[in-house]
Amino acid sequence: MNAKAVAANVTVTQPSKQGNLNAYPAGSYPPLASVVNYNPGITRANNAVVPLNTAGQAAVRCGPTGTSHVIIDLAGYFR
């Protein structure tokens, strides 16, 4: 697959603390803008177009502290 980005629904569930999730090309720095902002114990979701690196990989970062589960449902891709 030679995708440059993916269309996704990104969900954060069971977060232990307030935070945000970033999605970005693997190997690069996380962007300043978040895909999802969340509060403890609340499930939140958002649609996103996530760019991929040249190997077709993406990374996610939840922060600044705490734990959470992340679900990424891909809807399609862009070449």
Side-chain angles (χ1 to χ4, degrees):
M1 179 169 81
N2 55 357
K4 305 289 187 211
V6 293
N9 183 287
V10 181
T11 304
V12 176
T13 188
Q14 300 176 358
S16 62
K17 297 192 178 197
Q18 180 179 358
N20 59 69
L21 178 138
N22 304 95
Y24 52 97
S28 65
Y29 291 105
L32 296 176
S34 64
V35 173
V36 180
N37 297 315
Y38 52 85
N39 289 311
I42 306 291
T43 297
R44 296 287 311 268
N46 197 11
N47 294 316
V49 173
V50 181
L52 305 174
N53 67 11
T54 56
Q57 301 169 329
V60 295
R61 177 196 158 281
C62 289
T65 61
T67 61
S68 62
H69 296 272
V70 177
I71 303 162
I72 301 174
D73 182 21
L74 298 181
Y77 63 94
F78 302 92
R79 290 186 175 180

